[in-house]
Amino acid sequence: MSRDQAYSMAGFKPHRQNAHRLMTKDDVMMRVDELKTRIAEKAEWSAADRLSALKRISDTSEAEDPRVAVSAIAEANKMQGSHAASKHQHSGPNGGPIPCPVPPD
């Protein structure tokens, strides 16, 4: 969200200079930094929490139902970027182009 948008959403009449002036005040800048830090910590915690939950699921279900454990591992791999996207190639007969008949006029 831009400064101008935040200024308007706070209930003030849109005014570029006033939005900029607010951001030069130390107490406003400190509060914005505090909120950004809290958001970053929460997002980081939730990713770690999800991975931890997936590990618990994998560990507890491994003996009973290995499929659940494999699914949890696969999901954790996706979250960490270790998931290779599958490639699909479409082609026509004998590997040639796909025929697209054009209807007569």
Side-chain angles (χ1 to χ4, degrees):
M1 176 183 311
S2 72
R3 295 173 187 169
D4 297 334
Q5 291 169 328
Y7 192 79
S8 296
M9 287 184 71
F12 297 104
K13 186 175 178 181
H15 192 274
R16 256 193 126 98
Q17 288 78 17
N18 286 347
H20 176 73
R21 191 174 302 122
L22 271 178
M23 285 304 294
T24 62
K25 295 186 176 200
D26 288 339
D27 58 335
V28 173
M29 288 185 350
M30 286 176 20
R31 179 67 174 148
V32 169
D33 289 341
E34 175 189 335
L35 292 172
K36 284 182 180 179
T37 301
R38 287 175 51 195
I39 289 170
E41 286 172 355
K42 186 174 183 178
E44 186 176 317
W45 176 85
S46 64
D49 187 49
R50 287 185 301 231
L51 285 172
S52 177
L54 287 169
K55 178 159 179 17
R56 280 193 312 274
I57 291 168
S58 174
D59 291 345
T60 58
S61 63
E62 193 169 12
E64 291 177 28
D65 190 354
R67 294 173 301 170
V68 174
V70 169
S71 293
I73 292 168
E75 196 62 36
N77 286 341
K78 288 177 193 175
M79 285 178 61
Q80 294 180 316
S82 300
H83 177 69
S86 57
K87 292 175 86 175
H88 299 282
Q89 182 174 349
H90 300 282
S91 60
N94 300 321
I98 298 174
C100 297
V102 179
D105 289 340

